[in-house]
Amino acid sequence: MATETRVADNKMIPIYIMGKQYLVPPALTIMKAMEYAGYKLIRGVGCRGGFCGACGTAYRIQGDPKLYFGLACQTVVQPGMYLAQLPFFPARRETYDISQLEPTATTLFSLYPEVLRCLGCGACTKACPQEIDVRDYMAAAMRGDLAKLADTSFDCIMCGLCAARCPAEEAQYNIAILARRLYGRYLAPRSEHLERRLEEIETGKFTVDLEELKGLGEEELKVRYKARDIEPK
Amino acid sequence: MSGYPPEMQESIRSVEATRARRVGETFPAMSMEQREKILSGFHPDYREETFHAVRVGVSKGQRMPVELARVVEARPHVGADFDLSAPVAETDVLVIGGGGGGASAALLAQESGARVILVTKLRFGDANTVMAQGGIQAADRPEDSPSIHYLDVIGGGHFTNVPDLVEALVTDAPCVIKWLEDLGMMFDKEPDGTMMEEHGGGTSRKRMHSARDYSGAEIMRTLRDEVRNREEHIAVVEFSPAVELVLDDQGRIAGAVVVNLETGVYGYIKAKAVVLATGGGGRLHYQDFPTTNHYGATADGVVLAYRVGAPLGYLESMQYHPTGAAFPEQILGLLVTEKVRGLGAQPVNKRGEQFVYPLEPRDVEAAALIRECSERGNGVVTLTGQPGVWLDSPMIDMIHGPGTIQRALPAMVRQFARFDIDIAQEPILVYPTLHYQNGGVRLKADASTDIPGLFIAGEVSGGVHGHNRLMGNSLLEITVFGRRAGRTAAHYAGQVMLAAPNLAHVAAWNREMEAAGIDTDVISPILLPDYVHRE
């Protein structure tokens, strides 16, 4: 099967899934190792490519006091790994009407007053599998700096590991998406060329051209296609 | 430290040796005749023995990959005697699928006055949308127009696209960009507000809008957040995929049977209209290819719509993305976004030579990579036997200035850094990977189908892209047709008076299967691929 990782050497390693030992090939990701061990995954699996945030995983290595975090689909197993998935973590999310908000610190603090409770401990940053400096963007949130919060949180995949570790009980990723939406709608510079194009479409500027193209046979379409001028890079 | 083994590093030295010269040289694009020749010689769609003409249903004779035919010519989860007398829920519009198409449809259906339930197989947002990196096309610059976009789309699709659908796609495109921005999506822009737009394969104008290389993720999380803001009117039910559509006595849609993936309990959701937005089928691994697709991409929508009699089309063509990761093994087949080539990186062979224009339409580009590795033997072969060619990413910073890669491709940088590969310094090994279902259920420009009450949006549909989709037109398709489907479905639901629901089509299907002599153990939709290792 195409997705089963081919193993260069056969030496198996022990890992512990929720405390139970399994022997798995050493080159597998945590996700594939769980499937190798016999799990049919329903929770804790989504895109399998590092984008959806479904497979947040916490693990320890035998003999090492540190707690590690990663995405199961992107992290390779190590001998003596003790792991548990956190596919869902309850987090507070405020509902709002984006069209009725003002892009200000007051909006942020009124919807998420707990922003101001952040202790700056950095447990969130340590847990982020995207290596985002969550503490830093929470500092921007406390200053009401929506632009910086939007920019520095941009690569967030909303896996929730930050919220799981937060002693101040913040839901950092929900705070961050509010800031990004406020920035995208209200603070980002307007695209005048887009507005002009919308007016042109509204007034039917392209209707005749498109009607003509739709009526063309394959041969004439091919002629026009070949004759297109290509905008230089 | 380089994540590449010494054998591969040797080939990288050859790539480095030719890099400075290549920055100023581009391999010429193919003529139409050359394109046809390389496709018939090397594209997987032309391997006749891997296809099967389906033996039952309204599109009998439609060719499709054998792996897809296996789930189409299969048995339903529930029998015709399944009890529909006590629905678990009732609504105006039932949206099946929690990706970008389903979310767009849910929003527009709700705005058009409908009560909405959205059911999805995994979590809301676990879909191919979230994985799309490169961008979304829209002709919104003065140098460009919807007509030019139209020609690019239809030429890329080998002139087989349905004209009305292409018109809808290119005309709605700028409106969709505006809609997304009003919802708070953060597009890449110049300080004066001008959209930063690049080429994609087969485009004649720069019209690829992006949000770094998290374009699909940004669209998905914005739409999902908006749906959640409307929880009073849109109920989202996760881990509950649909397994059968339900009709009424007059052959109109009357909802769907869904299954709770965790408990295995089936239930009937009664609905006046259904929007099917279930995506494609990459996880069926046609011809044993790896895939860029998410875990739930098992062609459910094609199966469901076909069993109630909706015609299929274009399923004889699948899209293989030219640049899937070929190394390391752990991320085999995952997407290396076309934006990497859009920004100037060239595909080169083991000797560091160019062999193809970097931005041919995807099917042509993929065929050229396969030829380079097979017939010409110029690929790099990894220790596990996987062939590939180099995608020379360090060129990007040489062309656009240091730091461009980190700024424009953070997801790619992060993905490879996890395996000790710095794509700003070293090239990426790539090989084609199963990416997209060009065909599917036939639709009209208002997103309706031949079945009253059934509307569709996105990869599950067929006709928009003809036989080959261009980059940046799928994020566009899901939003354009998602919105259209939501709106049309809501209006339809406002008018229809349903008769008694039934599953008579299931009995008819089973009889037709028997008459065709098809004896199978497969129950479909299969819902998830089976990756469990067995001794």
Side-chain angles (χ1 to χ4, degrees), chain B residues 62-74:
Chain B
Q62 164 75 51
R63 288 171 65 248
M64 59 182 71
V66 291
E67 298 87 350
L68 178 56
R70 185 175 161 269
V71 300
V72 169
E73 292 181 348

Side-chain angles (χ1 to χ4, degrees), chain B residues 306-319:
Chain B
Y306 195 53
R307 277 211 291 258
V308 294
L312 307 176
Y314 302 88
L315 281 167
E316 65 278 18
S317 75
M318 294 293 157
Q319 182 163 83

Side-chain angles (χ1 to χ4, degrees), chain A residues 2 27 41 43 46 52 74 93 96 151 154 156 181 185 189 191 193 197 214 228-229 231 233, chain B residues 123 139-141 152 164 167 182-183 189 193 199 205-206 212 221 225-226 229 262 288 330 415:
Chain A
L41 301 175
R43 293 272 178 178
C52 77
Q74 299 286 303
R93 183 191 170 281
Y96 52 88
D151 180 56
F154 190 84
C156 171
R181 291 189 64 189
R185 181 180 169 103
S191 303
H193 61 98
R197 179 51 45 86
K214 280 189 347 178
R228 293 172 310 153
D229 59 310
E231 180 179 3
K233 288 214 193 84
Chain B
R123 300 180 318 165
D140 60 9
R141 291 159 62 239
D152 287 350
D164 283 344
E167 181 191 33
D182 283 347
L183 287 171
K189 290 181 174 184
H199 271 299
R205 293 290 184 280
K206 295 180 181 179
R212 303 186 194 175
R221 66 193 179 191
D225 198 60
E226 185 57 24
N229 277 342
E262 292 177 308
D288 220 14
Q330 289 88 351
Q415 186 134 68

